[in-house]
Amino acid sequence: MGNIVAVVGRPNVGKSTFFNRLIKRREAIVDAVSGVTRDRHYGKTDWNGKEFSIIDTGGYVVGSDDVFEAEIDKQVELAIDEADAIIFMVDVETGVTGMDEDVAKLLRKVDKPVFLVVNKVDNNRRAEDAVEFYSLGLGNYYTIASINGSGTGDLLDAVVKALPDKEEEDEEQLPRFAVVGRPNAGKSSFINALIGEDRYIVTDIAGTTRDSIDTKYNRFGFEFNLVDTAGIRRKSKVKEDLEFYAVMRSVRAIEHSDVCLLVLDATRGFDGQVQNIFWLAERNRKGIVILVNKWDLIEKDTKTAKEFEQSIRKEIAPFTDVPLVFISVLNKQRIFKAIETAVEVYKNRAKRIKTSVLNDTLLPIIEQNPPPAYKGKYVKIKYIMQLPTPQPQFAFFCNLPQYVKDPYKRFLENQLRNHFDFTGVPVSVYMRKK
């Protein structure tokens, strides 16, 4: 499984700005108001060829009477508990505060790599001011300016060096289908219904699943492992925030899976928590099947399913080529259809297209619909090949790859999907110099 790095600290020290810079997108909200990072943010990044997931936590405020800040505190503790390494960020402008000392006290008890990072150090005077953070008792520190990226290279060099090496997967290991979703959506019940026994304890209390257990399963002549990903372990001295921990566990399970069966509760819809897990799977380039559970509880007419599906596809655009299966675990309705669809998605993800077939099929289409000219220069795509990767990735060789923009890349992706069926699988298109 992949590594997880948690970024912790009190409010307003620049954690979200640092997170955004690492994942190269504006996903976390950056604001000067304390507590604005209300939802945890998860991103996938890499440094020096080593990939890891990064978590932007809320600001840690020990002893606050604010109910919301107390919830953030629990989530920070859970992130620390689950992460492989912790970046503790402080602010040189305000110096050492009581809250910094509280966080440092917590981190001194952690038997994991902890990196003390002094942010907003953008001149020599501030570099001298940073010395006072030695008083936190966490040893050496790193100075950065997350707003412009100064110093982040040295920090990340140290972080990836300290991350543990994960065991390589056995080449003969069975495909893994991860059943993911928010708590109490019906994940364990789904697996129980499939295997015909109560392998997992199922109750109406969110977060009942305490251990992530693989279930070997054979259906349609295809053998694989089903994984219930709630996997919330009991932790001493940790008050569990179930919504947060479900995603924490999903991060690891998704990275270690081939196909994700995303179970959502039809009565709650495709809400922010479910979307978060969906995009985790998409960023990790996993096969995805969306299972709309508890469909028997929805009042329906002839348009209900179509409208529900359209609303979901609107939220997951532009990656809309994802199968949806409406199920009722309670009534065992279409649960085997869900597995049959997941097997098809797995095969789509492993699909290899011969180079000759690719070129014979797509080059005539490209000739009829070439990339738009840029600054009077014309792009000519001459050759196509599929890259030797676990998921579908394609290289289009041309004379001026830098002039091919995202809309045309989406056109190429759509042509691949139209002709070769990659339903449920993220497809990557790269332009290469010929």
Side-chain angles (χ1 to χ4, degrees):
M1 297 183 185
N3 293 114
I4 296 177
V5 177
V7 185
V8 303
R10 59 182 174 80
N12 300 329
V13 297
K15 299 187 301 298
S16 294
T17 304
F18 176 73
F19 172 87
N20 289 334
R21 177 165 292 279
L22 283 194
I23 66 167
K24 302 177 181 67
R25 69 178 77 194
R26 287 296 302 273
E27 183 168 297
I29 300 169
V30 181
D31 199 292
V33 180
S34 175
V36 76
T37 304
R38 300 197 171 193
D39 298 315
R40 306 294 62 77
H41 294 88
Y42 311 84
K44 184 87 170 179
T45 189
D46 66 90
W47 187 257
N48 290 343
K50 191 162 189 174
E51 288 190 343
F52 57 94
S53 294
I54 187 160
I55 302 166
D56 166 33
T57 66
Y60 193 86
V61 185
V62 176
S64 171
D65 293 329
D66 186 284
V67 173
F68 177 66
E69 288 185 339
E71 286 300 307
I72 290 178
D73 291 356
K74 287 192 291 182
Q75 294 182 6
V76 170
E77 289 175 340
L78 289 167
I80 291 170
D81 186 67
E82 191 68 14
D84 298 292
I86 299 111
I87 293 174
F88 172 29
M89 190 169 289
V90 293
D91 183 351
V92 73
E93 290 182 348
T94 56
V96 177
T97 68
M99 285 186 283
D100 291 332
E101 291 173 346
D102 288 332
V103 179
K105 183 179 179 181
L106 180 71
L107 292 176
R108 284 198 295 270
K109 301 174 184 177
V110 175
D111 186 23
K112 294 177 181 180
V114 176
F115 299 88
L116 176 60
V117 177
V118 186
N119 193 21
K120 306 179 185 178
V121 179
D122 52 10
N123 57 52
N124 290 334
R125 181 181 61 78
R126 289 187 170 187
E128 294 173 0
D129 292 341
V131 173
E132 70 168 299
F133 288 97
Y134 274 121
S135 66
L136 294 175
L138 293 170
N140 293 329
Y141 57 82
Y142 294 82
T143 59
I144 70 167
S146 60
I147 194 71
N148 61 25
S150 173
T152 56
D154 290 341
L155 167 64
L156 293 174
D157 284 345
V159 170
V160 298
K161 186 176 180 181
L163 290 175
D165 291 326
K166 299 298 182 179
E167 292 182 6
E168 293 294 324
E169 295 182 31
D170 186 343
E171 289 183 2
E172 296 182 358
Q173 187 174 14
L174 292 176
R176 289 170 62 91
F177 289 6
V179 184
V180 299
R182 66 183 302 156
N184 214 25
K187 300 184 296 297
S188 295
S189 297
F190 174 70
I191 293 178
N192 289 343
L194 287 172
I195 64 177
E197 60 181 86
D198 289 338
R199 174 67 179 270
Y200 300 101
I201 299 170
V202 182
T203 72
D204 289 331
I205 302 172
T208 301
T209 305
R210 299 290 168 177
D211 298 296
S212 181
I213 306 172
D214 287 14
T215 299
K216 188 178 289 187
Y217 192 78
N218 192 310
R219 191 77 184 176
F220 310 110
F222 187 86
E223 193 171 41
F224 54 91
N225 280 324
L226 272 172
V227 186
D228 184 329
T229 58
I232 300 173
R233 302 188 300 267
R234 287 194 184 276
K235 302 289 181 181
S236 59
K237 302 179 182 178
V238 175
K239 294 180 180 179
E240 294 171 352
D241 183 296
L242 297 170
E243 295 290 333
F244 175 65
Y245 217 150
V247 179
M248 283 293 300
R249 301 299 295 161
S250 293
V251 171
R252 291 196 185 277
I254 286 169
E255 289 181 343
H256 200 45
S257 69
D258 299 293
V259 176
C260 298
L261 292 96
L262 175 55
V263 182
L264 64 92
D265 183 337
T267 63
R268 302 187 69 164
F270 196 69
D271 59 19
Q273 185 82 343
V274 179
Q275 291 177 36
N276 202 353
I277 297 172
F278 175 87
W279 290 114
L280 273 174
E282 189 276 338
R283 281 188 218 114
N284 281 277
R285 319 312 281 170
K286 305 300 182 180
I288 304 173
V289 180
I290 297 175
L291 306 182
V292 183
N293 189 26
K294 306 184 184 179
W295 192 239
D296 54 306
L297 302 180
I298 300 295
E299 292 186 13
K300 295 178 281 291
D301 57 31
T302 56
K303 297 181 180 179
T304 305
K306 185 176 181 181
E307 291 173 350
F308 199 99
E309 180 175 340
Q310 287 176 342
S311 68
I312 291 178
R313 296 202 186 283
K314 183 178 178 181
E315 294 294 341
I316 64 176
F319 180 34
T320 57
D321 189 17
V322 178
L324 274 75
V325 183
F326 293 89
I327 68 172
S328 169
V329 171
L330 184 64
N331 298 330
K332 296 189 176 181
Q333 188 176 27
R334 287 186 286 276
I335 58 172
F336 295 114
K337 174 66 176 175
I339 291 299
E340 183 180 11
T341 304
V343 171
E344 291 171 358
V345 168
Y346 175 83
K347 291 178 179 177
N348 287 345
R349 188 170 183 262
K351 186 179 294 182
R352 303 292 305 174
I353 310 298
K354 290 183 178 180
T355 302
S356 59
V357 175
L358 271 175
N359 286 272
D360 290 345
T361 304
L362 295 183
L363 285 182
I365 297 172
I366 291 169
E367 188 174 346
Q368 291 292 322
N369 303 274
Y374 185 78
K375 296 182 179 179
K377 296 182 178 179
Y378 293 89
V379 179
K380 294 183 180 180
I381 297 175
K382 303 173 182 178
Y383 183 72
I384 312 161
M385 67 174 291
Q386 184 173 359
L387 300 176
T389 53
Q391 64 278 350
Q393 297 186 344
F394 296 88
F396 289 75
F397 293 88
C398 61
N399 58 333
L400 298 167
Q402 69 274 24
Y403 293 153
V404 180
K405 306 303 179 185
D406 286 342
Y408 194 78
K409 290 180 183 178
R410 284 194 291 273
F411 167 77
L412 295 176
E413 178 186 336
N414 290 335
Q415 295 305 313
L416 286 164
R417 292 186 181 280
N418 291 341
H419 290 87
F420 302 111
D421 187 11
F422 288 107
T423 299
V425 185
V427 172
S428 301
V429 170
Y430 300 101
M431 308 309 297
R432 297 275 178 87
K433 179 74 173 177
K434 176 65 174 176

